[in-house]
Amino acid sequence: MDIGSQLLSLLEQDGITQKQLAEDLNISTTTLNGYIKNRRQPDAKTVIRLASYFSTTTDYIYGISTLREIVSSPFTAEERHLVNIFRGMPEDKRSLYLETGRTFSNFGRKKKST
């Protein structure tokens, strides 16, 4: 199998749209569509991000393995989603993302009375 077929299959299995995947990985929909149509080949870093996103191996993404091995992860699906968003952002925006997360995690916590 080729990368395009694998990606299309993964999208269908997980019920994810091409637009959503492109947004989550911070790549253009045109670029992603090029991968799916086998007009473009993702670089190694992108293949690793795709494998992480779908909780599988790079071998599966490349079509070397026909088994979609589940990578054991201590994270829930939501936590993996947040990690994938973080990994897909430009590095200069990551600190803002982290600070926003910290703000939300502190929101609603009761202040200790002294």
Side-chain angles (χ1 to χ4, degrees):
M1 256 190 170
D2 53 55
I3 289 176
S5 299
Q6 291 295 84
L7 289 176
L8 193 56
S9 174
L10 287 165
L11 288 168
E12 290 172 359
Q13 287 174 36
D14 290 7
I16 299 169
T17 65
Q18 288 184 36
K19 181 179 178 184
Q20 183 64 50
L21 177 60
E23 287 175 3
D24 289 349
L25 295 181
N26 196 33
I27 60 175
S28 75
T29 53
T30 305
T31 298
L32 178 60
N33 189 266
Y35 300 156
I36 291 171
K37 301 279 185 187
N38 291 307
R39 291 187 199 131
R40 305 181 80 161
Q41 290 294 309
D43 61 16
K45 183 177 177 181
T46 302
V47 173
I48 291 168
R49 290 175 53 214
L50 286 163
S52 174
Y53 185 90
F54 288 109
S55 298
T56 191
T57 63
T58 55
D59 283 355
Y60 186 80
I61 299 291
Y62 280 118
I64 296 168
S65 171
T66 58
L67 300 174
R68 181 179 177 179
E69 300 170 23
I70 303 297
V71 177
S72 87
S73 171
F75 302 116
T76 66
E78 283 182 326
E79 290 167 332
R80 281 193 311 273
H81 184 70
L82 290 171
V83 169
N84 285 321
I85 291 171
F86 180 82
R87 287 178 179 164
M89 339 178 95
E91 287 191 32
D92 63 330
K93 303 295 185 219
R94 290 180 176 180
S95 62
L96 176 61
Y97 182 80
L98 291 171
E99 189 56 38
T100 302
R102 285 185 195 102
T103 300
F104 276 105
S105 82
N106 290 328
F107 184 74
R109 287 188 183 168
K110 294 181 181 178
K111 291 187 177 184
K112 294 180 181 179
S113 48
T114 55

